[in-house]
């Protein structure tokens, strides 16, 4: 079974040689494991910080470079913490590179109206 990271790395590796139609398919296929990987990490981060006060969670998010304060709902700094961690994973880096390369080539998942 292929891991999320491996699948995203495989799709990112195939993207530069892909033409517009295939690139859109690669982006669509990569979007689901990207979102699932982020959700999995978000759940892990929530469990990791479960015993902390909202102020401590906000402080941890701020320390991770994601400004946060205690007035926010507790989930917001947790999402920011997960995002800070997720953006540095090989899976997220591969997807970001693929999406940026596609954008430079004029390819996007959001249709133009």
């Amino acid at each position: 079974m292929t891991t999320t990271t491996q699948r995203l790395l495989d799709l990112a590796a195939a993207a530069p040689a892909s033409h517009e139609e295939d690139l859109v398919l690669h982006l669509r296929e990569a979007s689901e494991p990207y979102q699932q990987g982020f959700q999995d990490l978000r759940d892990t981060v929530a469990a990791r910080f479960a015993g902390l006060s909202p102020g401590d969670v906000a402080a941890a998010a701020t320390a991770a470079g994601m400004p946060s304060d205690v007035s926010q709902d507790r989930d917001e700094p947790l999402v920011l913490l997960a995002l800070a961690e997720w953006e540095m994973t090989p899976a997220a880096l591969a997807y970001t590179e693929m999406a940026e390369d596609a954008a430079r080539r004029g390819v996007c998942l959001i249709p133009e109206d």
Side-chain angles (χ1 to χ4, degrees), residues 23-106:
L23 188 52
V24 170
L25 292 174
H26 288 319
L27 284 169
R28 281 194 181 120
E29 185 176 346
S31 181
E32 185 178 329
Y34 176 90
Q35 297 300 325
Q36 185 60 53
F38 176 68
Q39 182 60 49
D40 292 347
L41 182 59
R42 185 177 170 199
D43 294 344
T44 300
V45 167
R48 188 183 317 145
F49 288 90
L52 295 180
S53 71
D56 289 340
V57 174
T62 299
M66 303 297 241
S68 184
D69 63 62
V70 293
S71 68
Q72 293 175 304
D73 180 278
R74 180 180 170 79
D75 286 340
E76 290 178 49
L78 289 172
V79 168
L80 293 174
L81 280 164
L83 185 60
E85 192 172 328
W86 175 245
E87 288 179 336
M88 300 310 295
T89 66
L93 291 169
Y95 181 82
T96 299
E97 179 59 34
M98 182 172 53
E100 289 174 353
D101 177 61
R104 284 190 293 273
R105 294 164 54 186

